[in-house]
């Protein structure tokens, strides 16, 4: 017996997923007690949608290859978009700079040094028109990663489409519009939680009629995971946010089947291949049950968890950055095996700077190789029935349900955020993961093991400081030539709407079409709603 133990000794006393879920040596049928494949799996395109939301998935069409891009000025970002579209990208994903995200114009003193740095600077309709110059908006799907100023940027997009003569009924895309995760994990909020939620539901109501093909929200677990959460917490907290948005819309007297088909989600793809695949399957099944059992949705489209995935930026390393190509490929494979509807693959250099054109092309080619060369897209949900996958799917769902029930007892997600519960849980998980790296229980190649004696440099993108000066100059020129009386009238009307219960979007659209700026519109709303003051959670 002692010889057997020596011969088959294991590397560790305990194996876990990257999130800390126990991993057994072997999974068998006994690992799935009382497991009914008909109930737990069903068929692709049928409740509970564990195996996918459509019957054919990638046998019909591939996911949308949507590379996240935006930097400097609108003109420069437009050139990058055209380049990526010419290389086979199927949709656009816009990154905005920090001043745009938090409702500040490029000439605001607090914006100094940040203009065009982490995304494109958008101050007005003039910039938005330049961003999409030569790109027919009826023919592309556009995702905009924007939250506190989501309504403004959506109206800017609509105004450009109208200038192009596009049919608004044909516009497709997504506005992230997930303000709750900003209070939880990211910080680009402006207004207090409750008026911010009103803006979210106003977008739901307005798009129902004005933009019927538009996804009105991308409920984001991505940033929750980037802040350090586990896979279970990513599912639990993003779905709990989803529950809060659905309830807020119902409170605003919208019918669940009127807005739920336009909800979408946004998840992270991390390094643990099996855990990540199981995570997507668990989230899809749990959301279908929540919508049917908790909210009595009747339209089958209301039950579908449609989701975009981005590979894990927090997993990328500045050390040996070429290793990031491998990490991203594995993460992208997990997203595809998990049944995503669209995917962004990070570039190898993003731990150092915004991606260069060459690095962005490698990231896009990664998706194309998975789609066309691996064979994993030729059958639907090829991992179904794996004892390990099904066990992990069950465990993630069970853990997420436990969190959601705890949040319900607290009074819902808004209350859980206000008390710091969600933030505290993520902080504990992030601390435990960092401790595991420091103790070498979790190996990060090139960081705490397999370290290179000499690091090689790679080319990185640099944002010229002149960009800020030229952007401010264009903004000043716009203010000098626009009809100031029309701008002030539009802003006054928007403030009146904000003080009432009327939908804000018609007022915002009129303001952007008058060439009011993102900062001016945000300030008009601040005067009515105030600003959020963060509670420190230790």
């Amino acid at each position: 017996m002692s010889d057997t133990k020596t011969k088959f000794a294991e590397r560790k006393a305990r194996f876990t997923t990257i999130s800390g879920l126990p991993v057994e040596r072997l999974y068998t049928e006994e690992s799935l007690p009382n497991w009914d494949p008909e109930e737990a799996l069903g068929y692709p395109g049928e409740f509970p949608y564990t195996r996918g939301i459509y019957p054919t998935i990638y046998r019909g069409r591939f996911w949308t290859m949507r590379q996240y891009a935006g930097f400097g000025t609108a003109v420069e970002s437009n050139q990058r978009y055209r380049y990526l579209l010419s290389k086979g990208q199927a949709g656009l994903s816009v990154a905005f700079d920090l001043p745009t995200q938090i409702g500040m114009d490029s000439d605001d003193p607090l914006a100094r040094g940040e203009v065009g740095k982490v995304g494109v600077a958008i101050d007005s309709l003039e910039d938005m028109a330049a961003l999409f110059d030569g790109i027919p908006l009826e023919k592309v799907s556009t995702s905009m990663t924007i939250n506190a100023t989501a309504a403004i940027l959506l109206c800017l997009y609509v105004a450009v489409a109208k200038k192009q003569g596009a049919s608004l009924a044909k516009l497709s895309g997504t506005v992230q519009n997930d303000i709750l995760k900003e209070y939880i994990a990211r910080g680009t909020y402006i207004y207090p939680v409750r008026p911010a939620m009103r803006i979210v539901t106003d977008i739901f109501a307005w798009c129902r009629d004005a933009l019927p093909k538009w996804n009105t929200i991308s409920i984001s677990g991505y940033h929750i995971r980037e802040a350090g959460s586990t896979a279970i917490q990513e599912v639990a907290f993003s779905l709990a946010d989803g529950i809060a948005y659905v309830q807020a819309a119902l409170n605003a007297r919208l019918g669940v089947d009127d807005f739920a088909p336009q909800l979408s989600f946004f998840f992270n793809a991390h390094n643990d291949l099996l855990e990540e695949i199981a995570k997507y399957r668990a989230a899809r099944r749990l959301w279908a049950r929540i919508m049917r059992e908790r909210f009595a949705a009747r339209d089958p489209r209301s039950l579908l968890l449609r989701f975009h995935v981005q590979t894990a930026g927090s997993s990328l390393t500045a050390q040996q950055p070429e290793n990031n190509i491998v990490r991203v490929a594995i993460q992208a494979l997990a997203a595809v095996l998990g049944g995503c509807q669209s995917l962004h693959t990070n570039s190898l250099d993003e731990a150092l700077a915004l991606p260069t054109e060459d690095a962005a092309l490698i990231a896009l080619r990664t998706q194309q190789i998975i789609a066309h060369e691996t064979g994993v897209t030729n059958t639907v949900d090829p991992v179904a029935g794996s004892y390990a996958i099904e066990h992990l799917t069950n465990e993630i769902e069970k853990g997420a349900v436990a969190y959601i029930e705890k949040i319900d007892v607290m009074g819902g997600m808004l209350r859980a955020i206000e008390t710091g519960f969600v933030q505290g849980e993520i902080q504990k998980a992030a601390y435990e993961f960092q401790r595991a790296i420091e103790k070498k229980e979790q190996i990060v190649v090139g960081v705490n093991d397999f370290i290179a004696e000499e690091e090689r440099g790679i080319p990185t993108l640099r944002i010229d400081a002149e960009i800020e000066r030229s952007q401010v100059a264009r903004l000043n020129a716009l203010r000098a030539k626009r009809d100031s009386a029309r701008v002030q009238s539009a802003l006054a009307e928007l403030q009146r709407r904000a003080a009432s219960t009327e939908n804000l979007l018609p007022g915002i659209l009129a303001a952007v079409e008058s060439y009011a700026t993102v900062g001016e519109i945000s300030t008009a709303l601040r005067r009515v709603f105030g600003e959020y003051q963060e509670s420190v959670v230790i």
Side-chain angles (χ1 to χ4, degrees):
M1 194 70 179
S2 60
D3 288 344
T4 303
K5 284 183 178 178
T6 303
K7 186 176 180 181
F8 296 105
E10 297 186 336
R11 290 180 286 111
K12 303 178 186 177
R14 181 173 178 266
F15 287 78
T16 69
T17 67
I18 202 168
S19 295
L21 283 173
V23 176
E24 303 301 329
R25 179 187 299 175
L26 183 70
Y27 290 93
T28 67
E29 192 173 356
E30 294 176 357
S31 306
L32 300 170
N34 305 316
W35 187 74
D36 179 358
E38 193 72 27
E39 181 185 345
L41 289 180
Y43 291 89
E46 295 181 10
F47 187 86
Y49 304 103
T50 312
R51 303 199 64 186
I53 60 174
Y54 303 124
T56 56
I57 306 294
Y58 309 134
R59 284 172 67 102
R61 62 182 290 269
F62 293 126
W63 61 93
T64 302
M65 298 179 192
R66 191 192 297 283
Q67 292 300 102
Y68 184 51
F71 61 94
T73 65
V75 171
E76 288 176 300
S77 293
N78 174 265
Q79 292 169 353
R80 175 65 65 87
Y81 294 157
R82 291 190 188 205
Y83 172 78
L84 289 169
L85 289 169
S86 75
K87 298 301 180 183
Q89 179 174 301
L92 301 176
S93 184
V94 185
F96 298 99
D97 71 357
L98 280 175
T100 305
Q101 291 182 49
I102 56 176
M104 291 180 180
D105 289 330
S106 296
D107 61 351
D108 191 299
L110 292 176
R112 191 168 298 151
E114 289 293 343
V115 175
K117 285 292 175 68
V118 300
V120 61
I122 298 294
D123 290 315
S124 72
L125 180 54
E126 190 172 76
D127 291 329
M128 203 69 162
L131 185 65
F132 293 105
D133 182 47
I135 299 172
L137 298 188
E138 272 191 10
K139 296 181 180 179
V140 297
S141 170
T142 303
S143 173
M144 293 187 284
T145 303
I146 195 74
N147 297 286
T149 54
I152 304 171
L153 272 298
L154 177 59
C155 286
L156 284 167
Y157 189 84
V158 167
V160 172
K162 287 170 69 176
K163 280 179 169 290
Q164 290 184 359
S167 166
L168 299 191
K170 294 181 180 178
L171 293 187
S172 65
T174 305
V175 65
Q176 191 164 94
N177 192 29
D178 177 7
I179 199 63
L180 291 180
K181 68 97 172 47
E182 296 299 330
Y183 304 108
I184 294 169
R186 195 161 172 270
T188 63
Y189 42 69
I190 301 174
Y191 317 109
V193 178
R194 294 174 197 277
M197 288 289 282
R198 172 196 167 178
I199 296 172
V200 171
T201 56
D202 277 2
I203 291 173
F204 288 1
W206 188 70
C207 287
R208 177 185 56 191
D209 300 318
L211 299 175
K213 292 179 67 177
W214 195 267
N215 297 321
T216 53
I217 194 168
S218 179
I219 303 161
S220 178
Y222 182 85
H223 304 94
I224 290 169
R225 190 66 180 275
E226 289 290 281
S229 81
T230 65
I232 287 175
Q233 289 170 342
E234 182 186 355
V235 171
F237 297 153
S238 56
L239 267 58
D241 281 348
I243 289 167
Y245 291 126
V246 172
Q247 190 59 57
L250 294 175
N251 293 347
R253 299 187 178 179
L254 298 177
V256 65
D257 290 320
D258 290 336
F259 66 85
Q262 290 176 281
L263 305 179
S264 65
F265 285 79
F266 174 23
F267 291 118
N268 200 294
H270 221 287
N271 285 332
D272 194 313
L273 183 71
L274 301 186
E275 181 175 60
E276 293 300 290
I277 296 168
K279 178 183 77 181
Y280 306 127
R281 300 170 86 250
R284 194 159 45 228
R285 184 165 71 201
L286 182 53
W287 185 247
R289 289 175 175 163
I290 287 169
M291 291 306 293
R292 188 166 81 169
E293 296 166 13
R294 183 171 184 146
F295 293 113
R298 293 292 173 260
D299 186 336
R301 297 174 304 154
S302 299
L303 311 182
L304 305 184
L305 185 140
R306 297 169 301 117
F307 66 98
H308 170 72
V309 173
Q310 181 175 337
T311 56
S314 60
S315 73
L316 304 181
T317 63
Q319 302 91 329
Q320 302 176 35
E322 293 91 342
N323 294 343
N324 294 329
I325 297 173
V326 182
R327 292 185 178 102
V328 167
I330 292 167
Q331 293 163 6
L333 180 61
V336 170
L337 289 172
C340 69
Q341 277 61 66
S342 68
L343 175 61
H344 163 84
T345 33
N346 288 329
S347 301
L348 69 98
D349 52 0
E350 288 192 61
L352 299 164
L354 291 173
T356 63
E357 209 166 74
D358 288 345
L361 182 58
I362 291 171
L364 177 59
R365 292 289 185 251
T366 300
Q367 295 198 47
Q368 292 164 339
I369 289 168
I370 291 172
H372 295 284
E373 298 186 22
T374 62
V376 300
T377 58
N378 295 339
T379 188
V380 177
D381 192 23
V383 298
S386 156
Y387 297 128
I389 290 287
E390 301 300 354
H391 175 80
L392 280 170
T393 301
N394 291 345
E395 289 300 298
I396 291 171
E397 182 180 15
K398 186 167 67 177
V401 166
Y403 263 121
I404 290 169
E405 288 175 348
K406 187 178 288 188
I407 289 167
D408 283 343
V409 169
M410 291 179 180
M413 196 56 168
L414 270 64
R415 186 63 186 144
I417 292 169
E418 289 169 345
T419 60
F421 168 74
V422 177
Q423 301 93 311
E425 290 296 292
I426 295 170
Q427 287 170 8
K428 283 187 278 186
Y431 174 77
E432 291 301 324
F433 185 69
Q434 183 59 36
R435 289 282 293 153
I437 292 172
E438 290 169 2
K439 294 192 287 186
K440 282 197 171 183
E441 293 169 357
Q442 178 68 49
I443 298 299
V444 180
V445 173
V447 176
N448 64 352
D449 208 348
F450 311 106
I451 298 167
E453 291 183 11
E454 279 188 38
E455 288 288 342
R456 293 191 303 113
I458 61 168
T460 56
L461 184 69
R462 293 280 180 251
I463 305 299
D464 191 340
E466 178 58 32
I467 283 173
E468 182 169 329
R469 288 189 287 273
S470 64
Q471 180 69 18
V472 170
R474 277 192 300 276
L475 178 57
N476 289 334
L478 171 73
R479 288 201 178 108
K481 68 184 181 184
R482 70 187 182 180
D483 183 341
S484 297
R486 183 185 173 199
V487 171
Q488 293 308 314
S489 175
L491 292 174
E493 167 60 13
L494 178 58
Q495 278 189 232
R496 185 197 67 76
R497 282 179 176 264
S500 74
T501 58
E502 293 177 46
N503 194 297
L504 294 169
L505 274 292
I508 294 173
L509 181 59
V512 302
E513 289 182 325
S514 76
Y515 288 87
T517 66
V518 171
E520 290 165 344
I521 295 169
S522 300
T523 296
L525 294 175
R526 282 185 183 96
R527 291 191 182 115
V528 179
F529 297 150
E531 291 189 77
Y532 177 72
Q533 300 299 317
E534 184 178 13
S535 300
V536 177
V537 179
I538 300 176

